[in-house]
Amino acid sequence: MFKKCKFGISNLQPLHMNYPYQIKSLEQYHAAYKKSIDTPELFWNEIAETFIWQKKWDKTLDWNFKDPKVEWFKGGKLNITENCLDRHLEKNGNTPAIIWEPNDPLEHHRIITYKQLHLKVCQFAQVLINNGVQKGDRVCVYMGMIPELAIAILACARIGAIHSVIFGGFSAQSISDRLEDAKAEFIITCDGAYRGAKDIPLKAVIDDALIGNKTVKKVIVCTRTRTAVSMIKGRDVWWEDEIKKVESQGLELVTAVSMDAEDPLFILYTSGSTGKPKGVVHSTAGYMVYTNYTFVNVFQYQPNDIFFCTADIGWITGHSYIVYGPLSAGGTSLMFEGIPTFPDAGRFWDIIDKFKVNILYTAPTAIRSLMGFGLGPVKDHDLSSLKVLGTVGEPINEEAWHWYDENIGKKKCPIVDTWWQTETGGVMISNMAGITPGKPGWATYPMPGVKAILVDDKGNEITEKEDGLYRGNLCITQPWPATLRTTYGDHERCRTNYFATYENLYFTGDGALKNEDGQFRITGRVDDVLNVSGHRIGTAEVENAINMHAGVVESAVVGYPHDIKGQGIYAYVIYTGSHGQDTHGTGDMVRKDILQTVTRIIGPIAKPDKIQFVSGLPKTRSGKIMRRILRKVAEGETSNLGDTSTLLDPGVVDEIVKGML
Ligand code: PRX
């Protein structure tokens, strides 16, 4: 039951829903795991049967990793929104689905029950239909963290349109590339977004992104910041006006379109080791079953728990654990518009206290940054409602883990360290809160259905321990329901990126350690992908952006350890331009210009933390940049740079070491 009317609203209804597949003990975990590996079809059939289907599937699983082809619940017909909304209406219609906390604590929060959310999604689905959106169309969503963002994507799913959410921090150029790649015909955006003390002019960014675009027919703009925007006749319409039209037409609620289990649900762009982000495609049924299963089990969600995931819906964590996982479980998802440090560093703790949050799911980078403010911002808040804590996005260092455990969880909340990826759709390796043991810095056990192995560079499974642990490249041997199905418009790219490095294995791009008990510790990316504040950024992407700057001849980007961000971006740049070369030779003006270029091309999240000007880069005779050396220098290492004899010009290394920042 809701304790003493948590949010000052008395007519909310408690959740009546149980999860027959929720694992309740370590023994049950081991039994479920064994069953899921020995007989995956039987295992997932039983779970899938607890959902609402318009037609049952004919075949549970069909796959090979060679093409790759992964199909779950083939022949089944369903709509994910019937599982996230309609099925809760009868018993749980007045249960809060979304609690929304605005950026400014002085503005009122909003509580949206399942009944209200259902109505809003149906109305907006009708708006989409009225504007010509059809099943299979790609709809780009570029909005701030307001409930209308969740409503927009659910409305797309309701009518079978494929949503492609782009994080609000990406630039016009990034959006333009993604629009083109997805051949998107529709955009849903806001006039602006609030993030801390900043107002971000989202519509103006979209206008820039649309210069030269040939595919987009309609832009639907939701009002949030009341920033002045230019509305182009025939192309741009206001969300609120369109809703009014639907209301005045008195249209029936939109029935959920029948989708094939394998129909794409969404595209989400993510960085890889090449310069161009990939559009990861997730299917409808497998993704739904897997996000629900992992939500209920990893966090041990109980009816009426308030679940607070601090991610942005622009990333996979927000898709899976703000929207689809919690809502398919009839849960209450708390959505926060702002940032952890606005108006002060006590904001998360304030929200937890205000809504009596039971489960907090955040990123190590947020924990590290809040640690830096000391205990002052924590101590005046009552955090006793918390039962479970979670982390995601990057390895958590032990210091941050203990701080989280002692000061936030008060040593009574299990911490789940959840390892997964945009491509995996849901959590792959993690302890289950209070059920399987946690271990600081370790993601621990694979989820049921996930067979994880470590391999050497040739793809052979590691069988010998080093210092008591197995160490290798992390791969998955068989499909799980939320396996990515393809990369949009380029299946070959999906194959070469994930399924071709090692035969018959999905390669994660991560390195890991495993102990004798079969628990995993993720050590980080082994490819040219950086993890900056939990955001994935390809070094090649940043290099391409830097190289766009007039005067830059060449650049090389590597990561280095950063106290708050986990990894910082270190750029080595060969520059021959003259603009702004100040008399002291520090190149500060040029640095600023380069940062501005990166902000324009990708967005502020990809700005290098350090830029070192060099006259050459360490290259082999075949022209390959020796990043190993650059990484070492970026980490502060000046000796032990390894063998430099194969370099074309070993002299550049001395110069780089001398100029180290
Ligand atoms: O390197 C791993 C790291 O984040 C990468 C996936 O990034 P992305 O697709 O943006 O998804 C992030 C949120 C799911 C992984 O390849 N990563 C994610 N979670 C963890 C992690 N590294 C260590 N521990 C984790 N818990």
Side-chain angles (χ1 to χ4, degrees):
M1 290 291 289
F2 290 115
K3 289 156 242 157
K4 270 211 221 141
C5 168
K6 280 179 183 171
F7 337 108
I9 291 192
S10 55
N11 60 346
L12 295 175
Q13 201 183 43
L15 173 66
H16 302 276
M17 189 151 176
N18 62 10
Y19 312 111
Y21 44 84
Q22 192 169 49
I23 290 169
K24 289 287 173 210
S25 65
L26 186 59
E27 295 69 42
Q28 277 184 20
Y29 162 75
H30 286 304
Y33 187 78
K34 184 167 184 325
K35 182 170 171 182
S36 75
I37 299 301
D38 294 349
T39 52
E41 304 192 11
L42 190 65
F43 179 83
W44 290 109
N45 257 345
E46 285 173 9
I47 294 158
E49 271 161 10
T50 65
F51 291 80
I52 306 278
W53 295 82
Q54 296 169 356
K55 175 184 168 285
K56 200 180 161 177
W57 57 98
D58 308 314
K59 192 164 176 22
T60 307
L61 173 63
D62 194 6
W63 71 286
N64 71 68
F65 274 176
K66 207 158 143 286
D67 294 343
K69 172 171 102 167
V70 175
E71 292 177 342
W72 284 91
F73 313 114
K74 197 72 196 290
K77 296 263 186 199
L78 76 161
N79 186 291
I80 195 167
T81 68
E82 287 189 326
N83 285 281
C84 289
L85 301 170
D86 304 56
R87 72 160 158 165
H88 307 311
L89 295 182
E90 195 187 328
K91 285 193 180 156
N92 301 311
N94 292 326
T95 301
I98 294 178
I99 297 174
W100 176 75
E101 171 70 8
N103 179 60
D104 179 349
L106 297 177
E107 193 186 336
H108 234 288
H109 64 263
R110 287 167 67 185
I111 295 176
I112 303 174
T113 64
Y114 274 96
K115 218 185 261 168
Q116 292 164 336
L117 186 61
H118 177 259
L119 177 68
K120 285 176 187 295
V121 168
C122 287
Q123 283 179 330
F124 193 66
Q126 186 63 51
V127 167
L128 294 177
I129 293 169
N130 290 353
N131 280 281
V133 184
Q134 294 180 358
K135 182 175 172 180
D137 287 348
R138 276 81 51 222
V139 179
C140 159
V141 182
Y142 185 66
M143 300 172 84
M145 281 287 285
I146 54 175
E148 284 67 22
L149 166 51
I151 292 165
I153 68 174
L154 289 164
C156 288
R158 186 101 183 148
I159 63 165
I162 302 169
H163 56 77
S164 167
V165 184
I166 301 179
F167 174 62
F170 280 113
S171 69
Q173 182 63 52
S174 293
I175 299 168
S176 160
D177 295 345
R178 286 158 171 78
L179 289 173
E180 197 174 308
D181 189 80
K183 298 186 183 54
E185 290 175 303
F186 302 92
I187 297 181
I188 308 170
T189 188
C190 294
D191 49 357
Y194 294 124
R195 262 181 86 73
K198 289 193 200 132
D199 293 2
I200 302 159
L202 297 180
K203 173 63 165 61
V205 178
I206 288 291
D207 289 338
D208 286 348
L210 284 176
I211 296 169
N213 176 286
K214 301 228 166 28
T215 55
V216 172
K217 297 192 256 187
K218 274 275 154 78
V219 180
I220 303 175
V221 187
C222 182
T223 308
R224 173 60 185 136
T225 54
R226 303 202 172 272
T227 315
V229 294
S230 91
M231 296 291 282
I232 304 295
K233 199 179 287 163
R235 188 194 74 183
D236 301 350
V237 293
W238 287 106
W239 174 300
E240 297 77 12
D241 292 348
E242 295 299 297
I243 292 283
K244 273 196 203 115
K245 277 189 216 160
V246 169
E247 281 169 349
S248 67
Q249 284 165 340
L251 292 169
E252 295 280 311
L253 292 184
V254 172
T255 23
V257 165
S258 185
M259 304 295 287
D260 285 333
E262 277 298 318
D263 275 341
L265 175 65
F266 65 85
I267 305 172
L268 188 56
Y269 283 87
T270 190
S271 298
S273 38
T274 61
K276 195 171 157 251
K278 302 174 285 256
V280 167
V281 177
H282 279 288
S283 74
T284 303
Y287 175 81
M288 170 185 78
V289 169
Y290 195 71
T291 51
N292 176 285
Y293 181 80
T294 48
F295 172 70
V296 164
N297 280 298
V298 170
F299 302 102
Q300 288 291 302
Y301 187 83
Q302 301 301 323
N304 307 314
D305 280 347
I306 309 290
F307 183 82
F308 178 17
C309 167
T310 69
D312 191 290
I313 294 179
W315 308 109
I316 190 70
T317 308
H319 281 60
S320 302
Y321 299 110
I322 294 179
V323 183
Y324 290 111
L327 298 183
S328 64
T332 299
S333 183
L334 196 152
M335 182 175 173
F336 173 42
E337 184 183 33
I339 57 169
T341 49
F342 182 81
D344 58 51
R347 194 65 196 281
F348 277 1
W349 325 129
D350 189 42
I351 295 172
I352 292 166
D353 190 349
K354 176 172 172 188
F355 296 105
K356 304 294 168 228
V357 168
N358 305 108
I359 305 171
L360 171 67
Y361 189 31
T362 193
T365 186
I367 300 169
R368 286 192 300 265
S369 113
L370 294 174
M371 264 168 78
F373 291 88
L375 290 178
V378 184
K379 71 175 177 355
D380 293 335
H381 297 101
D382 176 8
L383 304 182
S384 61
S385 56
L386 286 172
K387 298 192 298 188
V388 174
L389 302 177
T391 74
V392 59
E394 51 177 317
I396 179 160
N397 50 312
E398 294 197 16
E399 196 192 349
W401 194 99
H402 287 294
W403 187 87
Y404 200 31
D405 181 38
E406 282 159 30
N407 302 300
I408 308 307
K410 317 284 183 200
K411 286 195 163 273
K412 67 173 181 59
C413 302
I415 299 178
V416 290
D417 178 350
T418 66
W419 173 84
W420 58 295
Q421 310 179 296
T422 304
E423 295 84 347
T424 71
V427 175
M428 298 290 277
I429 303 182
S430 171
N431 47 320
M432 290 183 181
I435 303 295
T436 65
K439 201 172 153 97
W442 288 66
T444 73
Y445 292 118
M447 286 292 109
V450 175
K451 186 148 187 242
I453 62 166
L454 299 179
V455 301
D456 64 18
D457 286 341
K458 294 203 175 66
N460 301 313
E461 187 164 1
I462 306 284
T463 49
E464 299 286 313
K465 284 182 270 188
E466 263 175 62
D467 302 328
L469 296 169
Y470 302 97
R471 173 189 291 272
N473 299 327
L474 181 63
C475 292
I476 313 292
T477 66
Q478 59 188 53
W480 59 102
T483 309
L484 86 158
R485 299 303 197 256
T486 189
T487 45
Y488 191 80
D490 193 349
H491 194 61
E492 177 59 11
R493 196 158 176 225
C494 173
R495 190 186 72 79
T496 50
N497 264 286
Y498 305 107
F499 299 93
T501 315
Y502 307 116
E503 211 179 318
N504 280 328
L505 294 175
Y506 166 80
F507 176 43
T508 64
D510 280 316
L513 304 171
K514 189 173 85 163
N515 66 14
E516 203 52 64
D517 293 336
Q519 296 174 316
F520 288 86
R521 174 178 198 141
I522 313 300
T523 49
R525 302 289 304 194
V526 292
D527 53 8
D528 290 325
V529 173
L530 306 179
N531 191 328
V532 181
S533 301
H535 300 150
R536 233 161 101 169
I537 298 170
T539 53
E541 245 178 288
V542 184
E543 287 165 7
N544 285 352
I546 295 174
N547 296 350
M548 300 278 282
H549 184 73
V552 170
V553 178
E554 197 179 3
S555 63
V557 164
V558 294
Y560 71 98
H562 187 288
D563 285 349
I564 307 282
K565 298 179 176 184
Q567 267 189 313
I569 304 179
Y570 196 121
Y572 298 88
V573 176
I574 306 177
Y575 182 83
T576 59
S578 58
H579 171 243
Q581 291 278 37
D582 54 48
T583 45
H584 309 295
T586 57
D588 275 353
M589 199 60 214
V590 181
R591 276 197 183 87
K592 283 188 189 145
D593 289 349
I594 290 174
L595 294 182
Q596 190 61 23
T597 310
V598 174
T599 305
R600 280 242 165 240
I601 305 293
I602 307 176
I605 54 170
K607 278 198 298 196
D609 299 274
K610 295 183 180 179
I611 297 175
Q612 180 181 345
F613 294 110
V614 294
S615 63
L617 292 167
K619 286 189 180 170
T620 60
R621 287 191 186 93
S622 59
K624 209 169 158 269
I625 297 174
M626 292 263 275
R627 284 167 194 281
R628 176 176 53 79
I629 295 174
L630 296 176
R631 254 182 241 124
K632 286 210 160 168
V633 176
E635 284 163 15
E637 179 84 56
T638 50
S639 47
N640 299 327
L641 294 177
D643 182 13
T644 54
S645 62
T646 55
L647 289 179
L648 193 59
D649 175 9
V652 296
V653 177
D654 296 336
E655 183 213 307
I656 286 173
V657 169
K658 269 195 217 122
M660 187 174 90
L661 299 172

